[in-house]
Amino acid sequence: MSGTILTLFNGLSLGSILLLIALGLAVTFGLMKVINMAHGELIMIGAYVTYVIQSLFLKYVPESFFDLYFLLSIPIAFLIAAGFGILLEVSLIRFLYKRPLDSLLATYGVGLMLQQLARSIFGAPNVGVQSPGFLNGGLTIGNLVLPYSRIFILSLSILCLVAIFLYFYRTANGRRVRAVMQNRQMAECLGVQTRRVDLGTFAIGSGFAGIAGCALTLLGPIGPTIGTYYIIDAFMVVVVGGVGALIGAVVGAFGIGFFNTIFEFFTSATIGKVLVFMLIIAFLQWRPSGLVSSRSRALDE
Amino acid sequence: MISSQTVLESKKITVEFSGFKAISNLDFKVTNNKVHFLIGPNGAGKTTLLDVICGKTQVSQGKVVYMEDQNLVKLKDFKIVHIGISRKFQTPSIFQNLTVYDNLIIALKQDKGLWATITAKITKNQQKDIEEMLHLTGLIDEKDQQAGALSHGQKQWLEIAMVLLQDPGLVLLDEPIAGMSKDERMKTGEMIREIAKDRTVLIVEHDMDFVKEYADIVTVMHGGQLLCQGSMEEIQNDPRVREVYLGRKED
Amino acid sequence: MKVKPFYLFLLMVAFTTIIAACSGGNGASTPEEGSSGSTEGTSGSDDEDVIEVGILHSLSGTMAISETSVHDAELLAINEINANGGVLGKQIKPVIEDGASDWPTFAEKAKKLLQQDKVAAIFGGWTSASRKAMLPVVEESNGLLWYPVQYEGMESSPNIFYTGAAPNQQIVPAVDWLLENRGTKFYLLGSDYVFPRTANAAIKAQLEDAGADLVGEEYTPLGHTDYNTVIAKIKSEKPDVIFNTLNGDSNVAFFKQLKDAGITSEDITVLSVSVAEEEVRGIGADVIAGHLTSWNYYQTTETPENSEFVEAYKAAYGEDRVTADPIEAGYFGVYLWAAAVEKAGTTDVDAVKEAAKELEFQAPGGLVKVDGENQHVYKTVRIGEVQGDGQIKELWNSGEPVKPDPFLKGFDWASGLAESLGQ
Amino acid sequence: MGKIMNQSIFNKKNLLLLGFIVLLIAPLFLTDFRLNLLGKYLAFAILVIGLDLLWGYTGVLSLGHGIFFGIGAYAMGMYLKLEAAGTTKLPDFMAWSGVQELPFIWVPFQNPILAIILGIFIPVMIALLLGLLTFRNRINGVYFTILSQALVVVVVTLFVGQQGLTGGTNGLTSFNTIFGFLLASTTTQTVIYLITAAVLAMVYFASKVLINGRLGQVLIGIRDGENRLRFLGYDPAIFKTFIYALSAGIAGLAGMLFVLQVGIISPTMMGIIPSIEMVLWVALGGRGTLIGPVLGAILVNWAKTTFSESYPDIWLYFLGLMFVIVVVFLPDGLMGLFKKFQKRWSGLHDKQPNSTRVEKNYS
Amino acid sequence: MLELENLQVGYGESMVVRNIQLKVKESQVVCIMGRNGVGKTTLIKAIMGILLPKSGNILFKNDNITKKSPSHRARKGIGYVPQGREIFPKLTVYENLLIGLEASGGTKKNLIQEDIYEYFPILKEFKNRNGGDLSGGQQQQLAIARALVSNPSFLLLDEPTEGIQPNIVADIQRVIRDIKEKNKTSMILVEQNLDYAKSVADYIYVVDHGSIVYESSVDELKDEDVYRYLSV
């Protein structure tokens, strides 16, 4: 019984991590159709930002406030990753909106450079980040321990989801974004500055990669190549979920999370990974354009 | 009349796009060796009807029968071509990076399977056909040019030539003279007349002068349904047509 | 039609490039190559005054994380030797190559160093895969490779000196020590590749021989970062000890998540054989404190040579750097080679090999001695516990250097493992 | 066309021939080591021809060609490994992985002919299967690309995980002889080099013939207007699958020649990074031309060897920058640049179609 | 207010709009008539900035806006009701209206004036429905309302009554007249129905094959002349 609950929790937890890393991508890839292979490196930037802020706290801030560094890191990681996103959009992406495959290759090149940049600045070895005290340990239910860090990431991903949702569905900017994505020309004719919308949207997608990077410092390594661990998974989530729908990313993330956990529990991590991929291919046979897809005239060609 | 054999017949077809009915319950007939025009206001479902016939769009219900025995609804788009229905699209969709001549070569009526394509050699007859077509469309001087470099009108003609080289029984043309100058329109019209000598041509067109000049039969669509069908004269005198399309004359 | 100068141009460019590539490369075997070397401006007949050695580690790619430091240590040793007059009165000049974390590249670069640059020896490699890639090359060209990292054993090439630990100098004693001090229920966790699988095969035989329990064995793909499920499995098996052969980044994820799951070193001890001081920093000392490692050297090892070494290393590369076992093995490997060259009076490979037999050296980690038979070295085994400051405190050591036994011939339980190799 | 060309000795055909002759006599003036490197570049050049057929001509971008290359290389490696182990013994890595007898999938590779056939056949079969599943369902463009990349992850994970069968991360190395000849010997290496050059020439000319025929036009049609082509009566899925499989087979062939010269194949060579780099070679040389990617592969690899020898850091920046610049600003690669020069030089006399620039649809 | 000088617009090599000279005065409603496919919509798109002219100038309020982006033009006060309505199908009716406010720079909800809802009560009722779920006529009302919320000084209406049931056509007619009188908004209206055109317009141009073939003020208009170009 507790095993089942734990597996469920683990699936949920893995799903939430996948969701967190895929959320930004669901915006840039899903809404804007830009294949940003440097998304993983934006995650890396988020992680390094957390590391830098932690180091600053260790140096300049009294120890009793140390734990606050993490809460501070989240918005800063968002802003800095978004800043990189803006840079990337202005210098590169805007030339490539109509060439998705080319955007894939060019941003891969950017990813390579960012990795090397991280290596030049922080050195090749991983750096360590000390988790904030309030995330140590876990919630004990019977003989189950649900780690606080996992619960935190789960909550964070839900929070981010809600934030993205509110942004897109409850704010003027979000409305503009949706209008532009539905009918760019008409939006432009109504006075929406589409360039600005593109830039802003890309920045937000990038910013969420930063948050993901920040959160991942709780669980994994912080090094120049960490982005490469997550990027394919993130794309899988969006592809399975269906491009263009946030809700698809949610279902995709938790779906993959659960199946991965279950497969891994009954076989091994390696076989689990292979099985999940097979499942995805099989799934795409059934629904070539993902779980949540709308058939409309415009999408046909 | 001996010649009025039914080429194409749609039976109660309905096409829906996410809830919106582009065509509803349409019955429609095309008889052979005619220049058949399809007119109607924007959004009346004309292009959608062509889409259905050539297999680009799936119907929600109903069927489309070609030559009285082929149900097109069940066929894949590229197989519909094989049984003799060819289409020209609204915006010229030729292959920009191929020469005019190469565009025509791949359009030729022939086995279009993989192996046949790999081993394909152009025959004397095919060469002759292409030359003829180049003359008909006046593209003979441009035959080695990249198609992307042609003028708009030339692109339209090239596409018409590609359609014809497939030797179809039924030709679907979607606004073939859009964006053409007066001379080009005339030339196109003559071309269409030539074509219709031994095949049926179904054309979506807005230009009424053109329709008047070249139509054997005209169908008016409105709101996804058939409004009326007949000769140009009959159409012109139909009050319903005036109401929705041509504008009312004061009583 | 006119002549198409364009095609001429095109092909000319293409072929001059190719030829330039090749002949340019030929030229590179002459001394102008050594941009990164430490030769002083000796003029004229360079070949007389310098001895070139290759340094071949991954400076880019995933393995750069680990290998850069070894690369640094080897250069440090070369500089020290040069400062003391060099070898045979000549300066050592390093030719640096990047293995780029890619095994075919290691093979290619080794070939270049040996055939093109004709280096006297290569110091390099980290992963077994990189060593296996270089092995046929050094054997073919009768070169010399000094390999500085502990590995799974089952190999002994006449052209390789192994200065890292053989299994019996790290894994076997660690298992013995754990059985004695921590319990008999073992869980084996490793990355899914050669070293963990081979090491675990040996451990399983050893455990069976000792009558201990193997309660679980799990492998995760390289770069795996989610250990939730694995930890759940571990918890349900309730082992006393986890014997950890995870690689690199996975360690960070595993230890962080283990701690989050509320498992401390008091509940279950994790002993790692691929986590040294450098890796501890990436994991976070607070996360891994209390868990164990098995190596031949720690930064805290108390020998006069070590305090000098640590000081020199920090002086050269920065106060915040730490030393670790492979760094030390890379460092003293250079010294061993230099000593063998001095003894042989030449850099000729066969002569150096002969001279290196039974050669002794006071390394930072204590006395090391080359085994004449399998070209591994005698080393002292040390079990240590990670401290809160990131350093490792020695809990136990073997007292004296242990004879290397890469094929575990000295252990009855391992007979099934080694014999199939017919060595 | 031919008769016009023949008027000059510097026509395209002759120059290609000249290039090939230079490759043939390269053993005379290159050291063994450099010849070996050149041989490796040529193996890559073979691979990119296939990749270019798929991407440059058909517009399908695969980021998974590393696995086809790798499988070809493994097939050859398995044969070499078995020959090195002798007839009775197991390859060394199996021994320490606890494998007792030769796994059945290794058995066919005892026969060199069978090994060579399988080295091409297995990639072809995998590509056929994946191609049919995806293209039939109109999983196109970006989706296919991402799937092909995920395939890499899975195959590499499998290869690494099945250590007893594949040698794990170590891959296959320590070969000894081929057909009884010592692999390390200069003569053997020179012969293998010459075979590689010959295979490159063959693959090049075979592809040229294919591309100049009807198939080439149809492929360009798929790239520039897949839907239009459907309405000319072609089934693009079949053609795409065919080219995908063909390029996979070519990649397998290239992999075999690679392993003979480099002496090792391991999963890193099949991974995501090499798979993407291969695409860069094509892009740099010029997609949609055959000679461009060949030059691209040779050039980039040569640059990599040279630069990375002394500047490993800068190399990665350089590589990254090259991706960006080529893709964004030189979508037609070096060949595009050359064509510009060509136009300038031959000026108005040249009766090439030179009016409006025509967009190619690679996406 | 708006002036077109020698405007030429086309796709690729072909010209769809040739040499058009046209003027709209302050608070004047100009109707452009002509059969399908003669270039009316192309002309409107060029005025809005969706298509860039090959040559010629577009002057708006004495500024040359020939090269300006559509959003710039919208912000300068040109409202646009396109052919085919082009409402945002997955935005609610209310959100569609809010996007309409972009041109006036404000996005505050209270900027949507009540009179919009008075013109089109149905929009208030269906405020929270998705635009795509409305019927064609309702969508047309929404498209007009969306253009009106930002109080444009100039309105482009491309066949606002096409394919719409008669009662809504009447509604729309009433609204156009009302705006003309109350707000003094200038308009270009593309229309095929002469009666309708006469009932709202001050001045009429007839276009055929991309050129203006007839123009007249409504008062002096001779129906026969128009019908010559209009009817079949």
Side-chain angles (χ1 to χ4, degrees), chain A residues 114-141:
Chain A
L114 286 177
Q115 278 180 29
Q116 193 58 31
L117 191 69
R119 227 171 254 133
S120 306
I121 297 173
F122 298 100
N126 287 328
V127 294
V129 163
Q130 200 180 334
S131 303
F134 57 88
L135 291 181
N136 285 337
L139 187 66
T140 315
I141 307 168

Side-chain angles (χ1 to χ4, degrees), chain A residues 63-138:
Chain A
E63 213 180 307
S64 49
F65 294 111
F66 174 75
D67 286 352
L68 291 178
Y69 89 87
F70 194 73
L71 298 180
L72 193 66
S73 302
I74 295 177
I76 296 183
F78 178 88
L79 289 177
I80 293 187
F84 270 90
I86 289 174
L87 217 64
L88 192 60
E89 208 273 354
V90 171
S91 62
L92 201 65
I93 303 288
R94 68 191 167 110
F95 301 112
L96 299 171
Y97 277 120
K98 285 186 186 135
R99 292 152 60 191
L101 287 181
D102 283 2
S103 75
L104 185 156
L105 295 174
T107 50
Y108 178 77
V110 172
L112 279 184
M113 289 193 278
L114 286 177
Q115 278 180 29
Q116 193 58 31
L117 191 69
R119 227 171 254 133
S120 306
I121 297 173
F122 298 100
N126 287 328
V127 294
V129 163
Q130 200 180 334
S131 303
F134 57 88
L135 291 181
N136 285 337

Side-chain angles (χ1 to χ4, degrees), chain C residues 335-372:
Chain C
Y335 274 99
L336 270 182
W337 167 79
V341 171
E342 285 288 358
K343 191 170 152 196
T346 166
T347 56
D348 176 74
V349 170
D350 294 325
V352 172
K353 272 167 59 183
E354 193 53 40
K357 277 186 182 162
E358 310 301 326
L359 195 64
E360 290 188 357
F361 178 74
Q362 276 296 339
L367 184 77
V368 293
K369 185 173 102 180
V370 178
D371 185 290

Side-chain angles (χ1 to χ4, degrees), chain B residues 22-89:
Chain B
I23 292 182
S24 52
N25 233 355
L26 180 74
D27 284 323
F28 173 66
K29 237 184 209 181
V30 179
T31 50
N32 70 343
N33 292 19
K34 290 264 167 58
V35 179
H36 189 143
F37 276 89
L38 207 51
I39 63 172
N42 291 315
K46 296 163 298 191
T47 298
T48 307
L49 179 58
L50 292 198
D51 286 349
V52 167
I53 296 171
C54 73
K56 184 167 175 263
T57 296
Q58 302 296 311
V59 294
S60 315
Q61 45 182 301
K63 59 181 188 174
V64 182
V65 181
Y66 179 64
M67 291 300 187
E68 296 180 343
D69 61 348
Q70 295 266 20
N71 185 1
L72 300 182
V73 168
K74 295 242 165 77
L75 284 180
K76 286 200 166 170
D77 41 18
F78 61 90
K79 293 221 166 110
I80 291 177
V81 179
H82 297 168
I83 62 169
I85 299 177
S86 286
R87 160 142 188 216
K88 184 207 159 305
F89 286 85

Side-chain angles (χ1 to χ4, degrees), chain B residues 40-42 150-152 179-182 185 206-209 212 232 236 245-250, chain E residues 11 13-16 18 35-37 83 159 162-163 192-195 198 208-209 223 227 230-232:
Chain B
N42 291 315
L150 294 178
S151 75
H152 182 75
M180 284 186 174
S181 68
K182 217 164 194 168
R185 282 161 201 249
H206 281 307
D207 188 315
M208 277 311 165
D209 293 333
K212 235 188 279 182
M232 193 61 201
Q236 274 175 304
Y245 190 46
L246 302 170
R248 251 170 313 178
K249 213 171 217 166
E250 273 171 301
Chain E
Y11 306 88
E13 308 262 307
S14 70
M15 285 300 148
V16 178
R18 303 154 205 268
R35 288 172 304 208
N36 269 325
Q83 188 181 39
E159 306 214 28
E162 185 189 45
Q192 302 226 14
N193 186 317
L194 184 58
D195 293 343
K198 277 161 71 179
D208 201 21
H209 290 166
D223 286 5
Y227 275 120
L230 267 190
S231 64
V232 191

